[in-house]
Amino acid sequence: MALTIRALDPSYATLGVALHFLARRPPFSGFRFGDLTQTVDDQIRRRHALFAFDDRRVVGYLGWHLYDHAEARDFAQTGRPPPLERPDGADVAWVMTAAAAAPQTLIALVEAGKAQNVGRRAMGVRYRKNGKRVIFDQVIAPRRTKAPAPEPTERP
């Protein structure tokens, strides 16, 4: 599989591609159509969305919103997102939409999303199988590269 991750230009066609992919995957397949459409459209228009492709087939989608600390804190406490009309915040990349056909694709999407948001906090809500709501919150650090091995030293 030759996985490619990239953003697409904001358009109705891009929105259609994203919704077509998400509509076949829980939990998004059970969401209210209007709510999901507005959320994904906002992510794509603001260029806060990435697609994963295997050749020309969509195999993943990642979308986020940018909030300031206060908005993110309120969202975490109440479960109600800020209105879509507000301008982007600068502090937090709140992961709203993440789906992939395979776990390794999701990992690659998350890494690509982190690379676009270094220095911000990554936050979001995930629901466990038992229904428990779990909020994640972590700083997005630059990806580490392996340090070269030290040069061997000669001893007399």
Side-chain angles (χ1 to χ4, degrees):
M1 173 170 97
L3 188 67
T4 305
I5 297 175
R6 62 188 174 101
L8 297 177
D9 288 334
S11 68
Y12 290 125
T14 299
L15 177 61
V17 168
L19 292 174
H20 184 268
F21 179 77
L22 294 168
R24 289 163 173 71
R25 286 168 178 76
F28 307 106
S29 58
F31 285 9
R32 286 176 25 123
F33 179 73
D35 294 341
L36 181 61
T37 300
Q38 285 182 325
T39 296
V40 173
D41 181 55
D42 190 66
Q43 293 164 355
I44 291 168
R45 279 186 304 100
R46 292 178 191 243
R47 299 186 182 269
H48 302 156
L50 295 172
F51 292 81
F53 293 90
D54 175 6
D55 190 25
R56 296 187 65 195
R57 187 176 64 119
V58 176
V59 293
Y61 177 84
L62 177 70
W64 62 93
H65 293 284
L66 296 179
Y67 299 142
D68 64 28
H69 285 294
E71 290 174 317
R73 186 178 53 251
D74 289 347
F75 189 6
Q77 290 173 352
T78 67
R80 288 188 309 274
L84 292 176
E85 306 80 51
R86 95 286 164 277
D88 283 341
D91 308 316
V92 176
W94 191 286
V95 180
M96 293 289 285
T97 318
Q104 64 269 25
T105 302
L106 183 59
I107 291 167
L109 275 167
V110 168
E111 289 302 316
K114 284 180 178 179
Q116 291 191 14
N117 290 286
V118 171
R120 292 186 171 109
R121 299 194 74 76
M123 290 182 73
V125 176
R126 294 296 169 255
Y127 293 90
R128 297 214 170 125
K129 289 182 181 181
N130 64 6
K132 184 176 179 183
R133 183 174 179 260
V134 178
I135 297 169
F136 64 86
D137 180 357
Q138 64 186 43
V139 174
I140 302 171
R143 186 172 176 164
R144 284 202 218 159
T145 57
K146 271 190 165 177
E151 294 287 324
T153 56
E154 291 184 26
R155 294 194 169 201

